[in-house]
Amino acid sequence: MSQSPINWVEGIPSGTSAVGTFPGFAQSTWTAMAQGMSTELFWPGVGGGSSLSAGVLQPGGSRVFVGTQSQSSNSAVGDILGRGMYWSDRSELVVYDSAGTHLGGSPFAVHYGTSPSIVTQLSSLSRAVYTQFTGTVVLGSGVTTTTINVSFPTQFVGSGLPLGFYPIYITASSNSSGQGNYQVTVTSQTSSGFTATASLLSVSGTTSLSGATIMWQALFRTATA
Amino acid sequence: MPWNDKKPQGTDPLSEYPSMLTNQLTSIASAMEQHFYWTVGSGRSAGIPALSTVTGSARAYFGPQSQVSSSTATNLLKAQAGRLMLTSDTTRFYMIQGNSSATTGTGPVLLGSDHIVANYGASFVTVQTDTRWLEQCGVTSGVSCFVNTHVAFPSQYSVTPIVQVTCSAQSSGSVAMAFLTGLDKSGFTVTVSPAPTTITASPLSTAVYWISTGTVAL
């Protein structure tokens, strides 16, 4: 289905048009303009808007570029800024910024919803986002047991958090020869970070180690959207 | 200046025509400049959406989740490809594809929600343009004890990612621990060994579950 074309005439008035036809022509022109504009904008008259709302976009009254990723080009200046493009071959939305192109949305993004404690206890927070932080801690040479303290860049909102309130994942690497493996255990966690203990396991017949890396990953909800 | 589509009348004096036309043109310009360049800027920019700072010129559909499917091209008079919708009851953000082809078909595509996970790495300052966070995961079976097993990422990262590994207990009840012994942008090396305190039997091999988080080009 398509909308009927508006009665838009650009060839009138001409130099031979009668003056008496102008009132009717002018009114039909205003009506045609209002009809055309009111498809996407509020407009007085047929558009259903008042003079105050004239020109305001109706819901859905915007469209982003639609095309393949190869057709995407960001000059990073001028009228391209702030525009969005939907990559039809990848089903993803990108937005154009002066510094480059950002991913605006994707059906492949992860939507968190498996932890009732996080979801329900902070559901009243407006502008809250699920936030994942990752990082590394490099252990020194010859460490057999050590305490690891990690501070998050932003604070999780909450108080009296029990251990396990938000999930933390930790894996330790060994050195290039595979000597010396660490067992890492989370011992406490707060709204701003966590503490873990790394203990060397002499599973490969050595107690010396250099260059081992502790990789951590934490997922929780913040109010810093 | 109010828009008036009832003027001029056939009986109006000619002297009213100039002010009538001026009023209409002013009304059009005022309305168009809500979201578009019109008289502001050069003539070449007239009609281009303005870079809004108060009320944005990109307005999505807004309604309950049940209306998402009714926003497709088959049910409305307007062409729908390229339009967006924010649901009022589920806080989800959709792209309306219309009849365009895509990897996910022709229906609305979920682009985001208030349950989406934002990954910041270890600091807010590491966010880069033209990159995306990519999380990959998998299961590698048959990893033998004390033998390095290499796992290649399906997609190579731009920088060395964060990797988490764990391994499953065998049906015999034997328990093993997984350790990373190597890592770079293209993959990692893992080895497993019997757990020192809970061992009931030495596992010959086990499955390793892994998940990696890092950045790739957009």
Side-chain angles (χ1 to χ4, degrees):
Chain A
M1 299 179 68
S2 61
Q3 197 167 29
S4 300
I6 62 174
N7 183 27
W8 181 259
V9 181
E10 295 181 343
I12 299 176
S14 67
T16 58
S17 297
V19 173
T21 62
F22 183 72
F25 164 75
Q27 288 194 36
S28 66
T29 299
W30 309 143
T31 302
M33 282 192 63
Q35 181 185 347
M37 302 300 278
S38 64
T39 304
E40 305 291 358
L41 307 173
F42 289 112
W43 203 270
V46 296
S50 68
S51 292
L52 292 177
S53 64
V56 174
L57 282 163
Q58 295 188 25
S62 292
R63 303 176 75 183
V64 297
F65 294 130
V66 176
T68 60
Q69 182 182 7
S70 62
Q71 296 175 305
S72 179
S73 177
N74 180 10
S75 62
V77 294
D79 288 321
I80 196 72
L81 300 181
R83 294 182 188 266
M85 179 172 182
Y86 179 73
W87 291 348
S88 57
D89 53 343
R90 297 188 56 162
S91 299
E92 293 182 315
L93 177 73
V94 296
V95 290
Y96 297 134
D97 182 26
S98 60
T101 303
H102 288 286
L103 182 65
S106 170
F108 304 104
V110 177
H111 297 253
Y112 198 70
T114 58
S115 177
S117 61
I118 295 178
V119 173
T120 58
Q121 292 194 25
L122 292 173
S123 60
S124 61
L125 285 176
S126 62
R127 304 177 64 209
V129 294
Y130 291 95
T131 305
Q132 179 170 273
F133 290 110
T134 55
T136 58
V137 177
V138 178
L139 302 183
S141 176
V143 171
T144 54
T145 300
T146 188
T147 299
I148 300 167
N149 295 302
V150 172
S151 297
F152 299 133
T154 188
Q155 184 166 307
F156 176 85
V157 178
S159 61
L161 301 179
L163 194 64
F165 186 79
Y166 54 85
I168 299 173
Y169 309 98
I170 296 182
T171 288
S173 70
S174 56
N175 63 8
S176 56
S177 61
Q179 294 176 326
N181 295 315
Y182 282 93
Q183 181 181 34
V184 187
T185 303
V186 176
T187 55
S188 67
Q189 60 186 118
T190 68
S191 59
S192 57
F194 68 90
T195 301
T197 299
S199 301
L200 182 65
L201 301 173
S202 301
V203 293
S204 57
T206 180
T207 57
S208 63
L209 177 68
S210 62
T213 300
I214 308 298
M215 289 175 285
W216 60 268
Q217 183 173 335
L219 179 63
F220 52 90
R221 204 173 190 203
T222 68
T224 56
Chain B
M1 195 65 66
W3 171 263
N4 188 345
D5 57 2
K6 303 303 180 186
K7 286 285 190 176
Q9 301 287 337
T11 56
D12 289 344
L14 278 175
S15 59
E16 290 183 359
Y17 279 29
S19 62
M20 180 275 299
L21 283 173
T22 302
N23 289 345
Q24 290 296 78
L25 295 177
T26 303
S27 296
I28 293 171
S30 297
M32 293 301 291
E33 285 173 353
Q34 298 262 14
H35 294 300
F36 302 91
Y37 293 115
W38 199 251
T39 59
V40 178
S42 69
R44 288 189 306 168
S45 63
I48 292 178
L51 189 61
S52 302
T53 56
V54 182
T55 53
S57 60
R59 187 171 188 188
Y61 287 117
F62 187 72
Q65 180 77 36
S66 59
Q67 291 182 356
V68 172
S69 60
S70 66
S71 297
T72 56
T74 54
N75 292 325
L76 288 182
L77 296 176
K78 305 173 186 176
Q80 296 297 302
R83 297 182 191 266
L84 306 167
M85 180 166 184
L86 178 65
T87 58
S88 56
D89 52 352
T90 58
T91 318
R92 293 176 179 171
F93 188 51
Y94 286 91
M95 168 76 201
I96 311 299
Q97 297 186 101
N99 293 322
S100 63
S101 61
T103 55
T104 53
T106 58
V109 176
L110 180 63
L111 295 176
S113 78
D114 64 343
H115 279 54
I116 203 168
V117 176
N119 198 343
Y120 294 103
S123 166
F124 286 125
V125 299
T126 57
V127 179
Q128 296 179 342
T129 61
D130 301 291
T131 61
R132 73 173 72 205
W133 283 100
L134 177 65
E135 200 156 86
Q136 302 179 92
C137 59
V139 180
T140 302
S141 302
V143 178
S144 301
C145 282
F146 307 121
V147 175
N148 283 330
T149 299
H150 186 263
V151 177
F153 298 125
S155 295
Q156 179 172 311
Y157 288 98
S158 302
V159 296
T160 302
I162 298 292
V163 175
Q164 307 294 338
V165 294
T166 187
C167 56
S168 64
Q170 292 182 312
S171 57
S172 61
S174 60
V175 179
M177 302 174 68
F179 301 96
L180 274 181
T181 53
L183 173 64
D184 58 26
K185 295 183 290 186
S186 61
F188 64 90
T189 304
V190 63
T191 187
V192 297
S193 63
T197 57
T198 59
I199 185 170
T200 57
S202 296
L204 298 177
S205 66
T206 186
V208 171
Y209 302 90
W210 60 271
I211 185 169
S212 57
T213 304
T215 56
V216 296
L218 189 61

